[in-house]
Amino acid sequence: MKATTALLRTTTTTRPFQGPGAVRKSPASSPRSNASTLFGSNPGASASSLSAKQQHEQKLLATTRASAMSTTALSQAPTSKLSPSSSLDLLSSAKAFIFDCDGVIWRGDKLIEGIPETIEGLREAGKKLIFVTNNSTKSREGYLKKFLSLGLEISADEIYSSSYAAAAYLKSKNFPTDGSKKVYVVGEVGIMEELTLAGIPHFGGPEDAEAKITLGKGVKMPHDENVSAVIVGFDREINYYKIQYATLCIRENESCEFIATNRDAVTHLTDAQEWAGNGSMVGAIAGSAAREPTTVGKPSTFMLDDIAEQFKIDKSEICMVGDRLDTDIQFGKNGGLKTMLVLSGVTREETLLSEENTIHPDLYTSKLADLLPALTEMNQQ
């Protein structure tokens, strides 16, 4: 891309960042319309034979009964806390486990308690393990280094990142590799590495970290008309240049694909607090381009379909374990998987159990290592 007097672009590497119970809300039960409910137990009673006060009292009673029925239904909802028996049932029925990473395996750069022993126990039990993450900042090889640095023996084939999902999506669409079409990336090195491995021409990403726009009268920002896809992933160096360039490609290039690695509201850059996630970056570009993206990470079905095909697993035999209701658990439910929420990451128990929550896992527990007693029992048999 040529520099102009209006546009100043410098190339630099990405700067490092400084710095039990019921859960399902049942529909409110409505009072039955028959006479015994509305007017009392006397079948001979009618509305006309009761005083206004009596009718009011009977309606109040019916409302109270309806509320009680709703509360009873809530307490009998299918979601339940993990127990010794449900642990054994889960381990007996699930042949494969898909794990989210942030909030399930680690928080920031620290392993969550009991993870090495649990992974070892699951392998001993013959379970297939797949580690998925919506974080696109690393490629599969990049995540493998993190697993190994934390003392976990994982292979690259067991890792499925949203950066890899973005490249896999374009490959499934037969995106040309001859240079006739290109991809513009808003994101970090993980997406760039996966596109390189897939042989897909691309630019942007970290190389535009310091790119700037100098506005003035009549300034028009040029863009490459051969860009046929824009991928937006988590980007700690996002700037106005990247947002405008992506917007122009999406809005003005014919049939340009708009792809989001994920739309997570928050992420875990450190274990001290939550940080703004890729949803904020995708939202900025979706707003200016006036178009919604195709999301390839959780909870989209693309990632799960590709995993099931690659690993030759029947979806009915998979359990999804995650810490987010709107991505991990919804991802599992969208694909018909068994689901288990762990409370070691984003979701709090009070959020899960609140009446406002509409996403309900099959099971929930405090952390993945709560499966260890059942695993030990199973592996000793």
Side-chain angles (χ1 to χ4, degrees):
M1 193 176 306
K2 296 180 179 179
T4 69
T5 56
L7 301 172
L8 176 62
R9 175 178 175 177
T10 59
T11 302
T12 185
T13 56
T14 304
R15 297 192 301 270
F17 182 83
Q18 304 295 331
V23 298
R24 185 181 296 275
K25 182 179 180 182
S26 299
S29 304
S30 57
R32 291 175 293 175
S33 61
N34 59 65
S36 63
T37 300
L38 188 59
F39 301 116
S41 58
N42 182 1
S46 66
S48 60
S49 64
L50 294 174
S51 67
K53 180 179 180 180
Q54 288 173 317
Q55 290 185 43
H56 174 73
E57 289 173 346
Q58 292 298 339
K59 289 179 181 179
L60 183 61
L61 177 61
T63 302
T64 302
R65 287 174 176 169
S67 177
M69 290 171 65
S70 178
T71 301
T72 300
L74 187 65
S75 67
Q76 294 174 348
T79 303
S80 60
K81 195 165 187 177
L82 189 71
S83 65
S85 61
S86 60
S87 295
L88 287 170
D89 290 342
L90 176 63
L91 292 169
S92 298
S93 60
K95 293 184 178 180
F97 286 82
I98 297 178
F99 301 110
D100 177 51
C101 295
D102 299 329
V104 177
I105 305 299
W106 58 63
R107 281 193 299 267
D109 291 321
K110 294 182 180 179
L111 278 181
I112 292 171
E113 178 188 357
I115 289 300
E117 299 88 344
T118 306
I119 291 176
E120 182 181 351
L122 287 166
R123 290 200 189 283
E124 186 179 345
K127 308 302 180 184
K128 186 178 290 290
L129 310 181
I130 303 108
F131 300 87
V132 301
T133 176
N134 267 357
N135 191 331
S136 62
T137 59
K138 296 181 178 68
S139 62
R140 287 174 298 168
E141 286 296 330
Y143 272 106
L144 178 60
K145 292 176 182 177
K146 179 166 184 174
F147 275 103
L148 296 177
S149 71
L150 293 172
L152 299 177
E153 293 297 326
I154 306 295
S155 70
D157 291 339
E158 294 176 307
I159 302 169
Y160 199 108
S161 64
S162 64
S163 53
Y164 174 73
Y169 174 80
L170 288 176
K171 287 177 68 176
S172 75
K173 296 289 186 178
N174 297 314
F175 196 92
T177 58
D178 61 1
S180 60
K181 294 184 179 181
K182 305 172 188 175
V183 177
Y184 183 69
V185 176
V186 177
E188 300 191 14
V189 67
I191 300 172
M192 311 291 276
E193 289 178 353
E194 291 294 354
L195 290 174
T196 298
L197 289 171
I200 296 174
H202 59 281
F203 66 100
E207 68 192 48
D208 282 347
E210 297 298 328
K212 299 183 185 300
I213 298 173
T214 302
L215 295 175
K217 186 177 180 180
V219 167
K220 181 179 179 180
M221 182 174 182
H223 71 282
D224 192 331
E225 295 179 355
N226 292 320
V227 170
S228 292
V230 171
I231 297 176
V232 181
F234 185 70
D235 190 342
R236 285 166 286 195
E237 298 287 350
I238 194 166
N239 54 39
Y240 190 65
Y241 180 97
K242 294 181 182 183
I243 293 172
Q244 175 67 359
Y245 200 97
T247 297
L248 290 172
C249 293
I250 295 167
R251 216 165 47 192
E252 299 185 10
N253 290 3
E254 184 177 358
S255 303
C256 182
E257 290 242 29
F258 178 19
I259 302 163
T261 59
N262 69 86
R263 301 194 73 164
D264 291 358
V266 298
T267 189
H268 292 110
L269 295 178
T270 69
D271 60 359
Q273 67 179 41
E274 293 177 348
W275 300 79
N278 193 44
S280 62
M281 293 139 202
V282 174
I285 294 169
S288 58
R291 176 139 50 109
E292 290 300 305
T294 296
T295 303
V296 294
K298 298 172 294 180
S300 81
T301 56
F302 172 79
M303 180 182 273
L304 180 58
D305 291 342
D306 200 48
I307 288 173
E309 182 179 346
Q310 281 196 36
F311 291 90
K312 308 302 179 189
I313 313 171
D314 191 294
K315 293 179 184 178
S316 65
E317 298 175 329
I318 303 174
C319 177
M320 175 67 208
V321 182
D323 69 313
R324 298 174 187 258
L325 292 167
D326 59 344
T327 54
D328 303 327
I329 302 306
Q330 192 63 58
F331 173 72
K333 287 191 165 294
N334 288 348
L337 313 184
K338 301 173 182 66
T339 56
M340 185 170 77
L341 179 81
V342 290
L343 302 175
S344 51
V346 169
T347 306
R348 305 273 73 84
E349 188 171 24
E350 54 267 29
T351 302
L352 172 65
L353 300 179
S354 71
E355 292 188 357
E356 289 75 22
N357 175 40
T358 60
I359 303 172
H360 306 286
D362 297 314
L363 296 164
Y364 77 96
T365 191
S366 62
K367 59 187 182 301
L368 183 59
D370 292 339
L371 287 174
L372 269 174
L375 273 171
T376 302
E377 180 180 342
M378 174 179 283
N379 291 334
Q380 288 177 347
Q381 292 177 352

